[in-house]
Amino acid sequence: MDSRPLRILQVLRAPVGGLFRHVGDLTRELAARGHSVGIVADTLSNDSQTEGLLQALSPHAALGIHRFPMPRLFGKGDLTTPFAVSALAQRLDVDVIHGHGAKGGFYARLAKYGLSRAKVFYTPHGGVLHYPKTSAPGRLFHSLERILMAKTSAIIFESAYARKTYSALIGEPSCRTEIIHNGLRQEEFVPVKPNVDAADFVFVGELRALKGIFTLIAALSGVKRADGSGATLVMAGDGAERGSLEAQIDQLGLGGRVFLLGAQPARPTFAKGRIAVVPSHAESLPYVVLEAAAAQLPVISTNVGGIPEIFGPTANSLVPAEDVLALRGAMQSALDDPEKARAEMNSRLAHVAAGFSMARMTDRIEALYLGG
């Protein structure tokens, strides 16, 4: 296997959320191993943390951070950005292009048409897997996936679920595939102690229906503390559906029980709640579940995507997606029996610590880049 330093371009659309966290972590680790890394990201998608995160990542991105318009579905940027990424990759003389998410994957593989030498890797991160076969975007995205597979050195799936779903929706990959779970830094396994005034529950994620935010508020309305008062919830995140969420909170009279913090880093936010809730309707392998488990919070989550792979021996406690009563029952049970919740948390922690480390993730991705 080759061991020389590589010139690597990481391509993603929105520099927000778990996908961006993955790219940032991978960039730092690869740079620490002597590789030169550049980032390509969208100019259209930001949250309140984006610029600060990009600035913090800049010292590790020797090939620079480059911004181009990348619309979520289709738009004018799709006619210009693929050419811009290809030209950039040629100018930087990269050895590897790694596309993340649907749009990052498309741009990275389209760039291959002008690059005979570079290897191209692709990690879906959910992306195209969230579009049904029967939808118009799904038919288009899935067709493009089949066409671009010929330009793909390997597809890296972050979960066995993603690998299985990709094959069912798009077809069995004709290129190499690997399942490489996301990893956490060692310091993320230091426990987070709840604040004295911490809420009962904490949610961290985008304020989108897909993340189960409306199911969560409906479930919370019926959850009670031991003294009969209503349980409380803090929610960190931004999104287009914040207004609808606020309307639901008002309609259910939960204004004194639900606190919206805006976009916040996950780990400091965990101290503001005692039990993490991840009520998503669809996921691939969400970092927030890994982070909460490593921070030693009890976690209530839905049985979607690769979350059972994270829960491991505790997967039987997962609840169905979009089921208000099941989610409410799990939340109430965690409040009523904290010792059981903590025992489950310890079992999950051991599973995550053994299989989801940053070093393990980077070792395997680096080996692929180098041809191992």
Side-chain angles (χ1 to χ4, degrees), residues 39-115:
I39 306 290
V40 174
D42 181 27
T43 56
L44 307 173
S45 303
N46 288 322
D47 66 17
S48 59
Q49 301 180 77
T50 297
E51 296 307 321
L53 291 171
L54 285 172
Q55 186 175 2
L57 189 57
S58 183
H60 307 278
L63 301 184
I65 296 176
H66 310 271
R67 308 292 297 273
F68 301 105
M70 300 180 182
R72 179 183 284 275
L73 291 177
F74 290 96
K76 188 164 61 175
D78 292 318
L79 302 177
T80 58
T81 297
F83 298 102
V85 173
S86 181
L88 175 68
Q90 290 183 65
R91 179 167 60 82
L92 295 175
D93 190 28
V94 300
D95 303 292
V96 168
I97 307 177
H98 189 164
H100 299 265
K103 277 301 178 75
F106 291 152
Y107 294 144
R109 290 176 290 174
L110 286 170
K112 175 64 175 174
Y113 283 93
L115 299 166

Side-chain angles (χ1 to χ4, degrees), residues 13 19 72 99-109 122-129 131 141 145 148:
R13 189 185 72 83
L19 190 159
R72 179 183 284 275
H100 299 265
K103 277 301 178 75
F106 291 152
Y107 294 144
R109 290 176 290 174
Y122 166 49
T123 303
H125 294 282
V128 296
L129 309 183
Y131 293 98
F141 280 129
E145 284 288 332
L148 293 173

Side-chain angles (χ1 to χ4, degrees), residues 125-199:
H125 294 282
V128 296
L129 309 183
H130 291 160
Y131 293 98
K133 280 184 175 182
T134 54
S135 70
R139 288 194 296 270
L140 182 55
F141 280 129
H142 297 166
S143 295
L144 287 170
E145 284 288 332
R146 287 187 281 270
I147 293 168
L148 293 173
M149 212 175 287
K151 296 294 181 181
T152 310
S153 301
I155 302 176
I156 302 170
F157 294 100
E158 66 274 33
S159 66
Y161 162 81
R163 173 68 171 81
K164 179 180 178 181
T165 304
Y166 188 97
S167 297
L169 288 174
I170 294 156
E172 188 64 23
S174 57
C175 61
R176 179 175 179 175
T177 66
E178 293 283 341
I179 298 169
I180 302 177
H181 287 134
N182 296 333
L184 298 176
R185 298 181 294 273
Q186 192 60 41
E187 62 268 25
E188 292 182 273
F189 287 90
V190 175
V192 171
K193 184 178 179 180
N195 297 339
V196 174
D197 60 348

Side-chain angles (χ1 to χ4, degrees), residues 275-279 289 293 297-304 307-321 323 325-334 337 340-349:
I275 302 164
V277 187
V278 184
V289 178
L297 269 71
V299 184
I300 297 167
S301 189
T302 45
N303 189 7
V304 298
I307 294 177
E309 295 169 54
I310 301 173
F311 266 52
T314 66
N316 286 340
S317 69
L318 293 167
V319 301
D323 189 328
L325 293 180
L327 182 60
R328 181 180 294 161
M331 294 168 72
Q332 189 65 63
S333 177
D337 195 346
K340 179 182 177 182
R342 185 153 192 86
E344 182 181 299
M345 179 275 290
N346 284 327
S347 178
R348 186 179 306 119
L349 174 66

Side-chain angles (χ1 to χ4, degrees), residues 208-228:
R208 298 171 56 199
L210 187 72
K211 296 299 183 181
I213 57 174
F214 302 114
T215 305
L216 173 57
I217 296 303
L220 179 77
S221 66
V223 180
K224 303 291 185 183
R225 294 169 167 170
D227 63 5

